[in-house]
Amino acid sequence: MQKILVSACLLGEKVRYDGGDNLLQDERWLGWQREGRLLPLCPECAGGLSTPRAAAERVGDRVITRGGIDVSEEFALGAEWALALAQGEKVAMAILKARSPSCGSGQIYDGSFSKKLVDGDGVTAALLKAHGIKVFTEAQLDEAAAELARLESN
Ligand code: SF4
Protein backbone atom coordinates (compact mmCIF):
# COMPACT_ATOMS: atom_id res chain seq x y z
CA MET A 1 0.00 0.00 0.00
CA GLN A 2 1.29 3.43 -0.96
CA LYS A 3 1.92 5.63 2.07
CA ILE A 4 1.65 9.40 2.33
CA LEU A 5 3.59 11.74 4.61
CA VAL A 6 1.18 14.37 5.98
CA SER A 7 1.22 17.45 8.16
CA ALA A 8 0.15 16.31 11.63
CA CYS A 9 -2.10 19.35 12.10
CA LEU A 10 -4.24 18.20 9.13
CA LEU A 11 -5.11 15.07 11.15
CA GLY A 12 -6.23 17.16 14.11
CA GLU A 13 -3.05 17.06 16.17
CA LYS A 14 -2.81 20.28 18.16
CA VAL A 15 0.68 21.16 17.00
CA ARG A 16 0.05 24.47 15.26
CA TYR A 17 2.08 27.45 16.50
CA ASP A 18 -0.94 28.73 18.45
CA GLY A 19 -1.82 25.34 19.91
CA GLY A 20 -4.62 24.69 17.42
CA ASP A 21 -4.99 22.25 14.55
CA ASN A 22 -6.09 22.27 10.90
CA LEU A 23 -8.23 19.12 10.92
CA LEU A 24 -9.23 18.28 7.37
CA GLN A 25 -12.82 17.05 7.12
CA ASP A 26 -12.82 15.22 3.83
CA GLU A 27 -14.17 11.72 3.29
CA ARG A 28 -11.33 10.72 1.00
CA TRP A 29 -8.75 11.99 3.49
CA LEU A 30 -10.44 10.19 6.38
CA GLY A 31 -10.61 7.04 4.25
CA TRP A 32 -6.87 7.17 3.64
CA GLN A 33 -6.39 7.61 7.37
CA ARG A 34 -8.56 4.56 8.11
CA GLU A 35 -6.54 2.54 5.61
CA GLY A 36 -3.38 3.41 7.54
CA ARG A 37 -1.76 5.25 4.65
CA LEU A 38 -1.14 8.55 6.38
CA LEU A 39 2.12 9.11 8.28
CA PRO A 40 1.78 12.33 10.31
CA LEU A 41 4.67 14.57 11.28
CA CYS A 42 4.94 18.16 12.46
CA PRO A 43 8.35 19.32 11.25
CA GLU A 44 8.47 22.30 13.58
CA CYS A 45 7.86 20.07 16.60
CA ALA A 46 10.33 17.48 15.28
CA GLY A 47 12.88 20.26 15.00
CA GLY A 48 12.61 20.98 18.71
CA LEU A 49 10.15 23.87 18.86
CA SER A 50 7.45 23.80 21.53
CA THR A 51 3.71 24.28 21.14
CA PRO A 52 2.49 26.95 21.40
CA ARG A 53 5.41 28.84 19.82
CA ALA A 54 6.02 32.18 18.19
CA ALA A 55 4.71 32.59 14.65
CA ALA A 56 7.55 32.49 12.12
CA GLU A 57 7.91 33.16 8.41
CA ARG A 58 10.61 32.60 5.80
CA VAL A 59 12.72 35.65 5.13
CA GLY A 60 15.12 34.89 2.30
CA ASP A 61 16.97 31.72 3.27
CA ARG A 62 16.24 32.19 7.00
CA VAL A 63 13.16 31.62 9.16
CA ILE A 64 12.47 34.40 11.65
CA THR A 65 9.82 34.71 14.37
CA ARG A 66 7.58 37.71 14.68
CA GLY A 67 9.82 38.77 17.58
CA GLY A 68 12.98 38.55 15.47
CA ILE A 69 14.39 35.22 16.71
CA ASP A 70 16.15 33.14 14.06
CA VAL A 71 14.68 29.61 14.11
CA SER A 72 16.24 28.47 10.83
CA GLU A 73 18.15 25.63 12.50
CA GLU A 74 15.05 24.17 14.11
CA PHE A 75 13.17 24.37 10.80
CA ALA A 76 16.06 22.71 8.97
CA LEU A 77 16.25 19.93 11.55
CA GLY A 78 12.49 19.33 11.24
CA ALA A 79 12.82 19.12 7.48
CA GLU A 80 15.56 16.50 7.87
CA TRP A 81 13.27 14.45 10.13
CA ALA A 82 10.51 14.66 7.54
CA LEU A 83 12.85 13.56 4.76
CA ALA A 84 14.17 10.66 6.84
CA LEU A 85 10.62 9.49 7.57
CA ALA A 86 9.58 9.89 3.94
CA GLN A 87 12.58 7.96 2.64
CA GLY A 88 12.51 5.35 5.41
CA GLU A 89 8.85 4.58 4.76
CA LYS A 90 9.22 4.98 0.97
CA VAL A 91 6.21 7.30 0.83
CA ALA A 92 4.50 7.85 -2.48
CA MET A 93 4.05 11.57 -1.85
CA ALA A 94 3.43 14.17 0.83
CA ILE A 95 0.28 16.17 1.54
CA LEU A 96 1.26 19.21 3.60
CA LYS A 97 -0.51 22.25 5.01
CA ALA A 98 -0.68 25.13 2.56
CA ARG A 99 1.19 28.40 3.19
CA SER A 100 3.14 27.23 6.27
CA PRO A 101 6.81 28.26 6.50
CA SER A 102 7.59 24.55 6.94
CA CYS A 103 4.87 22.73 5.05
CA GLY A 104 3.66 25.24 2.46
CA SER A 105 4.01 24.31 -1.18
CA GLY A 106 3.90 26.71 -4.11
CA GLN A 107 2.98 29.73 -2.01
CA ILE A 108 4.06 30.87 1.46
CA TYR A 109 3.76 34.03 3.54
CA ASP A 110 6.22 36.69 2.50
CA GLY A 111 8.01 37.31 5.82
CA SER A 112 6.19 40.53 6.67
CA PHE A 113 3.56 38.90 8.97
CA SER A 114 0.86 40.67 7.02
CA LYS A 115 -0.75 37.59 5.37
CA LYS A 116 0.79 38.48 2.01
CA LEU A 117 1.72 35.47 -0.10
CA VAL A 118 4.67 34.95 -2.40
CA ASP A 119 5.65 32.06 -4.66
CA GLY A 120 7.83 29.61 -2.78
CA ASP A 121 7.93 26.54 -0.56
CA GLY A 122 8.23 25.98 3.14
CA VAL A 123 11.52 24.53 4.38
CA THR A 124 10.26 20.95 4.64
CA ALA A 125 8.32 21.01 1.37
CA ALA A 126 11.39 22.36 -0.42
CA LEU A 127 13.66 19.63 0.95
CA LEU A 128 11.21 16.87 0.04
CA LYS A 129 10.82 18.24 -3.49
CA ALA A 130 14.61 18.50 -3.84
CA HIS A 131 14.73 14.74 -3.18
CA GLY A 132 12.11 13.92 -5.77
CA ILE A 133 9.11 13.57 -3.47
CA LYS A 134 5.90 15.08 -4.83
CA VAL A 135 4.22 17.51 -2.45
CA PHE A 136 0.54 18.47 -2.55
CA THR A 137 -1.41 20.80 -0.29
CA GLU A 138 -4.72 19.92 1.37
CA ALA A 139 -6.39 21.90 -1.40
CA GLN A 140 -4.99 19.48 -4.01
CA LEU A 141 -6.57 16.20 -2.90
CA ASP A 142 -7.90 15.59 -6.44
CA GLU A 143 -4.36 15.73 -7.81
CA ALA A 144 -3.06 13.58 -4.95
CA ALA A 145 -5.79 10.99 -5.51
CA ALA A 146 -4.99 10.88 -9.23
CA GLU A 147 -1.31 10.33 -8.45
CA LEU A 148 -2.18 7.59 -5.98
CA ALA A 149 -4.40 5.86 -8.54
CA ARG A 150 -1.64 6.13 -11.14
CA LEU A 151 0.94 4.61 -8.79
CA GLU A 152 -1.35 1.79 -7.68
CA SER A 153 -2.27 0.85 -11.22
CA ASN A 154 1.39 0.23 -12.09
FE1 SF4 B 1 1.12 21.84 10.71
FE2 SF4 B 1 3.40 21.79 9.38
FE3 SF4 B 1 2.83 23.86 10.95
FE4 SF4 B 1 3.41 21.50 12.06
S1 SF4 B 1 4.80 22.75 10.84
S2 SF4 B 1 1.72 22.84 12.61
S3 SF4 B 1 2.51 20.10 10.58
S4 SF4 B 1 1.73 23.25 9.11
Side-chain angles (χ1 to χ4, degrees):
M1 181 171 60
Q2 302 283 345
K3 296 206 171 155
I4 306 173
L5 178 72
V6 302
S7 295
C9 59
L10 292 174
L11 283 177
E13 294 187 26
K14 298 203 176 303
V15 290
R16 211 170 60 186
Y17 76 95
D18 60 0
D21 64 66
N22 298 304
L23 178 63
L24 188 53
Q25 295 283 6
D26 176 280
E27 266 315 307
R28 189 168 33 187
W29 176 257
L30 297 173
W32 290 339
Q33 184 183 21
R34 282 193 295 274
E35 290 167 4
R37 286 182 192 277
L38 305 185
L39 300 173
L41 180 81
C42 173
E44 292 174 25
C45 301
L49 295 170
S50 57
T51 304
R53 56 189 171 274
E57 294 190 1
R58 291 198 83 171
V59 181
D61 64 351
R62 314 301 300 170
V63 185
I64 310 290
T65 69
R66 189 188 288 273
I69 307 293
D70 188 326
V71 286
S72 305
E73 277 187 26
E74 289 87 345
F75 272 63
L77 185 59
E80 293 290 347
W81 273 104
L83 179 62
L85 179 60
Q87 291 180 328
E89 295 284 343
K90 297 186 172 48
V91 301
M93 69 186 84
I95 301 177
L96 304 181
K97 176 75 187 75
R99 300 181 291 280
S100 151
S102 289
C103 293
S105 176
Q107 281 195 316
I108 54 172
Y109 292 119
D110 73 349
S112 66
F113 296 95
S114 59
K115 301 278 180 206
K116 284 197 199 117
L117 293 169
V118 288
D119 289 344
D121 294 321
V123 177
T124 291
L127 187 66
L128 294 176
K129 287 182 181 180
H131 286 79
I133 297 167
K134 286 194 178 167
V135 178
F136 300 95
T137 75
E138 74 277 18
Q140 295 174 311
L141 292 191
D142 287 348
E143 291 92 328
E147 175 69 4
L148 202 54
R150 188 186 70 76
L151 291 169
E152 294 200 326
S153 69
N154 287 335

